[in-house]
């Protein structure tokens, strides 16, 4: 049995948790309609190393779906695999 799958799963889980910690306050602010999100968005872009558009997509997805599964890596282009 190959341990790489376990390590990959752990890495994906750690990344999901990191995204959730950074984005959770922004999602709450968005849902509550409290204040400007610009500073938080800029911080999330820097912290997560993704574009503003990606941060907004994740915030929207979390607000609509809730929970960490909304932050699962979904890949890109033709190689996209939902959940990994």
């Amino acid at each position: 049995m190959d341990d790489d799958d376990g390590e990959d799963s752990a890495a994906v889980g750690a990344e999901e948790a990191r995204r959730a910690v950074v984005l959770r306050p922004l999602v709450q602010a968005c849902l509550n309609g409290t204040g400007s999100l610009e500073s938080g968005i800029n911080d999330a872009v820097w912290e997560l190393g993704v574009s503003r558009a990606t941060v907004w997509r994740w915030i929207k997805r979390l607000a609509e779906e809730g929970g960490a599964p909304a932050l699962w890596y979904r890949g890109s282009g033709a190689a996209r695999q939902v959940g990994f």
Side-chain angles (χ1 to χ4, degrees):
M1 183 166 221
D2 195 347
D3 281 340
D4 286 345
D5 289 340
E7 291 174 12
D8 290 343
S9 294
V12 168
E15 181 61 18
E16 290 170 14
R18 185 173 78 93
R19 291 175 184 174
V21 166
V22 172
L23 297 174
R24 187 174 294 118
L26 297 173
V27 172
Q28 284 303 114
C30 184
L31 291 173
N32 296 335
T34 56
S36 172
L37 298 176
E38 287 306 310
S39 176
I41 296 294
N42 292 335
D43 291 345
V45 166
W46 182 85
E47 179 73 27
L48 299 173
V50 297
S51 70
R52 289 176 58 83
T54 297
V55 170
W56 278 112
R57 273 193 303 272
W58 286 344
I59 289 171
K60 182 179 178 190
R61 190 178 304 147
L62 273 172
E64 290 173 353
E65 299 174 17
L71 296 174
W72 285 351
Y73 175 70
R74 295 176 188 233
S76 62
R80 179 173 294 183
Q81 295 178 328
V82 175
F84 290 102

